[in-house]
Structure formats: structure tokens, C-alpha cells
Amino acid sequence: MTSARFKNVIAGQLAMLTGGDSALIARAIDRPKVKGLGTFAIPLPRLFPSNTTLPKKKSKALDGALSTAQTASAGPGKAKRVLVRDQGNNSAKADLLSQLRHDFDTTGLIRSVTPAGQFLNFGVDEKQYTRDTIQDVILAETAKLRFLDSHKSDSELNASLKSSDHLGYGMDASIGKGQVVAIDYSSPNIAKPFHGGHLRGTILGNFASRLLRGFGYHVIGINYLGDWGKQYGLMAVGFDRYGDRAELVKDPIKHLYNVYVKINKDIVENPELDRKANEYFKRMEENDPMVLSLWQEFRSLSIDFYKVMYKRLGIEFDVYSGESESAQFVPQAYALLRETGLLQEQEDGAWTVDLTEYGLGVCTLRRADGTTLYLTRDVAACLQRAEKFKFDRHLYMIGDDQNLHMKRLFKIMELAFAKKLDPSTNHDKSHWSRNLEHISFGKVQGMSTRKGTAIFLEDILDTAQTTMLERMKENETRYEAVKQSIQQQQNDENSQGSSLDVLHNAQDGVKQVADKLGISAVVIQDFQAKSSKGYDFSWKRMTESTGNTGIYLQYAHARLCGIEEKSGTRLNFEARTELLSEPEAFDLANAISMYPEVTFSTLQTFEPSLIVNYLFGLSHAISTANQVLQVKPAMDAGDTELAESRRLLLWAARVTLGNGLRVLGLEPLERM
């Protein structure tokens, strides 16, 4: 990518002038924190470590550096640093920086070197940088199209399309090639509503899956339903008391939710219900056909409901599983832990694993009555997935309230296989049991299923959609333009349909646009802050449309689509980009060039706020550029070459913005 190439040019020269390691220097080069101070910068402490200072005489120091670098270039081995260990000497450092600035070649790709405080800043050949950035986008997007064309007849077309959906500019698919990553996310409990509290884990997991696929990993998205355990026994007891078949058929999830709230209130006053719930779950584990029949009915109703919500959010899972399916691996889990000496039987009949020396306490894996626990089933599920999917890494996208649980799970798996692997080899380092990761996040506060204060996700999305539709109607001209555009599209796609059908489809299309805007508002508000931070649920927060919001990002994309449509010029990949001489053109190209850096950094942390905040910066650069780099006026004036070069740059910006929105799990809108 362009930024990497220019960084390597800077690092190569600095290595020659200082005797440093060019690879280390390249990794230290970053972006200036303040606009207007060049394109790249390196912190001086990274160039001159704190435990070293410079000789007092700059000429000898620089001569020594150059001599060392020349010696290194003449033969094998690395150049030695010319810095000597001594007390701080700012004057000598300033002298050498001045000499570096003087001797740095600024006649090629790098055009300026400027010390600024604790940084050394570098300006670039802006026209070449702009051209190279646009070419990066073209090459990546054409490669994506070739991939799609080559898989048109593939028997695994859907899987191919899923993985290619996020290829293109900003991703390097070679990074994860050949590696399998399983990711467990969303995972709601059956017979309970899909509420706002589930939103974070669902959209964060979808984001992580898309990001990994974009970098070439084979991702297996797992929706691990909470469909087993004592809490289900409590639900069954509650349904026996408050269940209504007619209400169940009419609105199954909301009815089961009401039942769950009532039984949880009852259990506070009647502890006997807790015993009944345990007894019911024991019958489930003993495969009692009567209780399993009711359980299967509730499970099917729940999955059908959840799939509707997932489809609305644009989320697909590779596997729907559940705690119930891991039951067959529970005996294998017990056998493994017993064989390795981890499983201990207590006097009351319970089975435990002692992790006190790791600060994780004593973990119960089987109750005295013989029933399993959440941790038991997670151990079994991990073994099941390792056998079935042969994963290299396994990510768990689960809230921070489960931190202790996940630490216990990972430590049990690590210890279980530590004694089975040959310590004389390095196999243990790459074994899947060492590659289990908890991607923790803060929870959405202010909702409780048990207390009946949960807010259904369906209601959140419906409210967001209605809010967006009302705001679209506030601008009657734009609203009618969107409706007419959709109506024209419907006419083109269905020339045989009646005009009334087309009108209804157009109205539905406007509602779909409003729904996607509402989802964008909900997702971006969640992703703006670091995911480690929880927040209190707020209707205003969920439906905000002004300022830095999902609506702003979608508007920036839709506006670029409108410019392309009305430009009157073709998209020419051979356009003369050297005609883009305006500062706004370089600023936009520079913003586009940052995207691969941002996505790669995000791959290390799975922190969506990095991409969200980048997209806000890109959108601001697009807005500024749109005021200056006007395509149609240039075309109307007869300057076709200038119009084509501007359109090509704006196309590259639209592609980058669209790719970023898709990785976040949003569908970029072409009209709004």
C-alpha cells in the first residue's frame, strides 16, 4: 500500500544516516497528530532511545553514522548505531537533527523534513502520493471483481460471496490465508426476548467476523444458544403456572418473556420453585421425552424469531448450536479431566476442578445431583468444536460480566492438554487450547429480563425506523426524490408490473431506506466509544441523527453516489490524476491511504471505534473536497480530463467509505 511504500523510503534513508534498523524505524513512523505538519512523523524517542544520547560534535557523529551505514551496505551484517550511552544532551541531539534534515534527500518521493517538538515530520510528493493511492484502490477492487467472476459457478458460491464481500481495498487477504477462526457471539437464551442488552455482543461479533474474513481467515460464526440449564427448568415451571397456548401462538417470545418475569417474582417468595426448576432440568438431562418435547417447541419458536431479527440486521451465522448439543461431549470432558488428574470428587458427590493456585477458585463441573453447569457445557462445547471445525483460534465475544467464567474455561483447557502434549516440542504453543481468546465488552446497562425492564430489540429498531422516516419527510424535496428514484428503479426492474404495484414497492423501498438508516444510527452510536466501556440505555442515544452519527456516514456515501450518477462523465481508471493539484484533493487521497493502516490496527484489537472514527474523518475530508472538486461543472466547461480525474478520486473515496461501512455490518446506501 502507498503509505507503507512511502514509510519504507523514509526508514531507508534514516537507517543510512543513523545506522539504525530500517524495519524498526518503519514501524515507528506514524501520522502527525496535528494537521499541517506533514504526512508522516516519527517520535524522536523512537529514533533516539532514552538510554542513549548523541556525541557532542555533530560532524563526527554524522560521519560515523554514514561510515557505519556505508560499511554495512558494502558487506553482510547490520549497521551499528552511532549513538553512545551517556547523560542527556539535547543540544547534541538538536545538532544531529539539523544535520539529518540537511542530508536527507528531498528530491524524490519525500519532499520535506521538519523537526517539530518531539517529532521529525516528513512531507511527500503529493501528486505521486495521490496517484499511488488511487491505483491501490483500483487494483484491490478489480481483484475483488475477478474473484467474484471466477466463483460464479462455484458449488460454494454463498460462502465465496460471504468471504469476498469484505475483500477489496483496505484488506490483505494473505494475512489469514489457511487459518480457521471460530467465533462465538450473540448467543441469546431461548424463550427470552432479543433485547437491547443482546445488541452489543451481536453487532460486535458480526463486525469481528467480517473483519477476519476480509483478511482472508476462514471464519465459522457460531450462535451458541442458551437452551439448556436450570434457568430453562424455571421457565418450564413458570409456563405450567402462567402459560397460555393461545398467547403462545399469537406472540411466542413476548408471552414467554412475561411468564419468565412472573416466575422470577414468585421464586423470591417461594424458594420451593427453585427446587422444582432443578428437578425439571434433571429430567431434561435424563432425556425425559415429555419435558424435551416442550423444550424443543420453545427452542424452535425462539430460533424462528431470532432469525427474523438477524436478517433485519444483515447477520448470518454458519452454525446454530446450543448448550444442549454439547451434552454428548460431557462424558468426554469428564474423562479428559479425570485422566489428567484435574477432576476431583467431593464428599457430597459433586465434581470439581481446583484452580485456587491461579486465583480462580474451585470450579464445580457436576452438581451433587449429577446435573451439569454452564462451565461444564462450555468445556464440552470447546472439545466438540475443536474436533468438528479444526480451528486454529477460537474467539468468544462475551460481555465483561463473564470475565471470571472465561478465565476458568481457558485455564481448564490449558491444563487439560498441558499433560497430554509433548513438552519437548513446540506443539503446545500452536495447539488450539492455547489460542482461546475472550473479546470482552462493557454491557448496556438499565435492562433486566428477570425484573421485566428489558427493551425488545425489535422495538428499538422499529422506533429508529419510524424516527428516520419522520426526519426524511421533514425535507419534502429530498423525500420525493428518494421515492422517485426507487420508483424508477422498480420500473426498470419490473416493466410488466402495474403502476400501483410500483408505487407500493416504492413506498416499501422508502421504509427500507429508513430502516437501514435507523440500524446505522443504532450501530454507530454503539461503536463510537471503546467497546470496553458500557453505557446506559437511552432512546435519544439510539436514534440520534445529528452530528457524528451513522446517518452522517450514510449521507456522505449517498451523496457520492449522486455525484457519480449526475456527473455526466465516465469512470476512467487511466484518468490524469496529476491534474488534481488542489490541497483538498491531496487531503482526501491522504485520508483514503490511511484505511489499510486502520483496518490492520483494528485486526489486533477488534475495536470498531478505530474504524468508526476513521470514517468520520474520511467523511469530513469528502465533504470538504466536494465543495472544491466539482465534477459536473468541469465537464460542462469542457474540461473532460479534469472531470474524469476528480470523479476517479471521489470514486476511490466512495469505495473506501463503503468498504468501511460493510465491515461494521452496515449496507451503504446509494440514496436517502
Side-chain angles (χ1 to χ4, degrees):
M1 292 297 174
T2 296
S3 61
R5 290 193 292 273
F6 276 71
K7 285 180 181 181
N8 287 336
V9 171
I10 295 170
Q13 282 211 60
L14 289 177
M16 288 290 292
L17 294 174
T18 66
D21 184 293
S22 61
L24 293 176
I25 294 173
R27 286 197 289 271
I29 297 173
D30 204 346
R31 300 285 182 163
K33 304 298 181 185
V34 180
K35 186 178 179 181
L37 293 180
T39 307
F40 298 105
I42 185 169
L44 298 183
R46 299 288 299 275
L47 188 58
F48 304 123
S50 58
N51 64 345
T52 61
T53 56
L54 305 175
K56 293 183 178 180
K57 295 183 179 180
K58 65 180 182 181
S59 58
K60 289 184 179 180
L62 190 59
D63 287 344
L66 292 173
S67 175
T68 303
Q70 289 165 358
T71 300
S73 65
K78 294 183 178 179
K80 296 181 180 179
R81 299 183 70 95
V82 298
L83 309 180
V84 297
R85 299 180 185 278
D86 201 348
Q87 299 299 315
N89 191 331
N90 292 331
S91 176
K93 186 178 293 186
D95 288 345
L96 184 53
L97 284 175
S98 178
Q99 193 68 35
L100 282 175
R101 183 182 182 187
H102 178 270
D103 286 5
F104 199 99
D105 180 9
T106 56
T107 61
L109 294 179
I110 308 304
R111 293 304 177 89
S112 66
V113 182
T114 309
Q118 289 296 305
F119 293 88
L120 194 61
N121 296 342
F122 302 88
V124 301
D125 180 334
E126 295 185 354
K127 290 187 177 181
Q128 187 64 48
Y129 194 89
T130 298
R131 176 178 176 77
D132 288 357
T133 297
I134 293 173
Q135 286 302 310
D136 284 342
V137 181
I138 292 172
L139 290 172
E141 292 303 307
T142 52
K144 174 180 176 178
L145 291 176
R146 284 196 299 270
F147 178 89
L148 289 172
D149 287 341
S150 67
H151 286 77
K152 280 185 177 178
S153 59
D154 197 318
S155 60
E156 297 181 354
L157 178 61
N158 291 334
S160 299
L161 289 174
K162 182 188 292 185
S163 62
S164 69
D165 194 29
H166 315 295
L167 296 175
Y169 182 64
M171 303 291 188
D172 181 355
S174 66
I175 289 177
K177 187 176 181 180
Q179 298 184 59
V180 178
V181 179
I183 176 167
D184 179 329
Y185 68 102
S186 192
S187 306
N189 293 324
I190 69 165
K192 292 184 184 179
F194 198 150
H195 61 68
H198 295 123
L199 176 67
R200 291 206 95 181
T202 301
I203 61 177
L204 282 168
N206 182 46
F207 156 72
S209 297
R210 289 168 176 251
L211 183 70
L212 286 162
R213 286 193 178 101
F215 277 100
Y217 293 90
H218 176 63
V219 178
I220 301 168
I222 304 170
N223 195 347
Y224 186 58
L225 301 171
D227 63 353
W228 208 247
K230 173 188 165 184
Q231 78 279 359
Y232 178 79
L234 184 61
M235 169 63 77
V237 171
F239 191 77
D240 187 53
R241 280 191 164 201
Y242 301 111
D244 184 318
R245 280 283 163 184
E247 289 296 318
L248 183 67
V249 172
K250 180 181 177 182
D251 196 338
I253 299 303
K254 286 192 177 181
H255 178 57
L256 291 175
Y257 170 61
N258 292 333
V259 168
Y260 189 73
V261 171
K262 290 177 181 177
I263 196 64
N264 270 283
K265 289 180 179 177
D266 290 352
I267 201 172
V268 174
E269 300 175 359
N270 185 2
E272 176 66 14
L273 294 174
D274 187 67
R275 184 187 63 78
K276 288 185 176 181
N278 276 327
E279 289 178 353
Y280 198 97
F281 177 51
K282 191 172 189 300
R283 290 172 64 192
M284 288 174 62
E285 294 219 303
E286 292 170 349
N287 294 316
D288 184 315
M290 186 178 72
V291 299
L292 289 181
S293 175
L294 183 64
W295 164 80
Q296 185 62 58
E297 181 182 9
F298 287 177
R299 188 180 193 275
S300 298
L301 288 170
S302 298
I303 292 176
D304 289 344
F305 174 79
Y306 295 148
K307 283 184 176 179
V308 172
M309 296 308 303
Y310 291 130
K311 183 177 181 180
R312 189 171 178 182
L313 289 168
I315 296 174
E316 293 183 14
F317 291 93
D318 300 286
V319 177
Y320 277 90
S321 69
E323 294 179 59
S324 59
E325 295 180 22
S326 66
Q328 60 181 310
F329 276 77
V330 167
Q332 180 179 326
Y334 286 149
L336 172 66
L337 299 179
R338 187 178 292 108
E339 177 187 343
T340 53
L342 293 172
L343 199 63
Q344 302 172 3
E345 184 170 351
Q346 305 303 316
E347 291 183 2
D348 63 355
W351 295 354
T352 62
V353 173
D354 189 352
L355 299 178
T356 52
E357 66 175 291
Y358 306 102
L360 301 175
V362 176
C363 309
T364 301
L365 292 185
R366 195 184 81 157
R367 296 187 182 93
D369 65 2
T371 56
T372 61
L373 292 90
Y374 181 38
L375 181 58
T376 321
R377 299 186 289 276
D378 264 6
V379 171
C382 197
L383 294 174
Q384 179 187 28
R385 294 169 187 177
E387 180 178 303
K388 183 175 181 180
F389 302 128
K390 312 295 183 190
F391 60 76
D392 298 290
R393 295 168 65 190
H394 193 333
L395 309 181
Y396 292 81
M397 189 69 67
I398 300 176
D400 56 12
D401 57 338
Q402 296 295 321
N403 286 349
L404 177 60
H405 172 81
M406 299 312 298
K407 288 178 181 178
R408 286 173 167 174
L409 171 64
F410 295 171
K411 180 56 68 174
I412 288 173
M413 303 315 297
E414 177 188 332
L415 295 174
F417 286 94
K419 297 179 182 180
K420 294 179 71 67
L421 297 172
D422 184 352
S424 65
T425 70
N426 289 324
H427 292 170
D428 61 325
K429 294 181 181 178
S430 60
H431 191 264
W432 62 262
S433 62
R434 303 301 190 274
N435 294 304
L436 307 175
E437 304 169 49
H438 178 201
I439 312 299
S440 177
F441 58 87
K443 300 296 287 283
V444 180
Q445 306 295 331
M447 286 182 282
S448 169
T449 307
R450 286 181 180 148
K451 295 178 181 178
T453 58
I455 299 171
F456 284 25
L457 180 58
E458 182 180 21
D459 293 337
I460 294 173
L461 297 184
D462 286 348
T463 300
Q465 179 193 42
T466 301
T467 302
M468 297 308 144
L469 193 58
E470 290 172 352
R471 288 172 183 168
M472 287 172 68
K473 290 179 178 178
E474 289 174 0
N475 187 327
E476 187 175 344
T477 302
R478 184 181 296 170
Y479 176 77
E480 287 300 322
V482 171
K483 192 162 68 172
Q484 289 176 15
S485 176
I486 294 173
Q487 190 169 336
Q488 181 60 49
Q489 184 180 7
Q490 294 290 340
N491 277 323
D492 294 341
E493 293 176 355
N494 185 17
S495 58
Q496 303 301 317
S498 69
S499 58
L500 185 60
D501 288 339
V502 171
L503 178 60
H504 286 162
N505 289 337
Q507 291 172 339
D508 289 342
V510 172
K511 288 182 179 179
Q512 289 177 17
V513 169
D515 194 45
K516 288 169 184 173
L517 283 174
I519 291 171
S520 298
V522 170
V523 170
I524 295 300
Q525 65 80 29
D526 191 292
F527 283 173
Q528 270 190 268
K530 287 189 175 181
S531 55
S532 60
K533 297 179 180 178
Y535 61 86
D536 292 328
F537 178 84
S538 162
W539 281 110
K540 182 177 185 301
R541 178 186 175 111
M542 287 287 177
T543 58
E544 188 64 67
S545 64
T546 58
N548 280 350
T549 64
I551 314 306
Y552 176 71
L553 296 180
Q554 289 285 16
Y555 175 72
H557 187 272
R559 188 180 181 193
L560 287 174
C561 291
I563 289 173
E564 290 183 6
E565 184 179 347
K566 300 173 183 177
S567 67
T569 187
R570 63 178 180 141
L571 178 62
N572 180 11
F573 286 166
E574 302 298 326
R576 295 180 59 200
T577 55
E578 67 271 15
L579 298 176
L580 299 170
S581 58
E582 300 85 353
E584 292 82 2
F586 172 70
D587 288 345
L588 181 55
N590 189 26
I592 293 169
S593 76
M594 295 179 188
Y595 184 56
E597 302 171 28
V598 173
T599 55
F600 184 74
S601 295
T602 307
L603 184 64
Q604 319 308 313
T605 62
F606 297 104
E607 179 51 70
S609 63
L610 295 176
I611 292 181
V612 168
N613 291 318
Y614 162 77
L615 292 181
F616 283 136
L618 174 64
S619 296
H620 290 309
I622 290 170
S623 178
T624 301
N626 280 339
Q627 299 174 27
V628 178
L629 307 177
Q630 297 183 355
V631 181
K632 193 172 187 305
M635 193 66 183
D636 292 343
D639 198 340
T640 303
E641 290 186 333
L642 180 61
E644 288 181 348
S645 65
R646 287 177 174 178
R647 183 181 173 185
L648 182 59
L649 176 60
L650 295 178
W651 168 84
R654 178 182 63 76
V655 165
T656 305
L657 177 56
N659 286 354
L661 288 170
R662 290 187 190 93
V663 170
L664 294 173
L666 302 174
E667 179 183 340
L669 294 174
E670 296 183 4
R671 60 182 66 85
M672 58 175 284

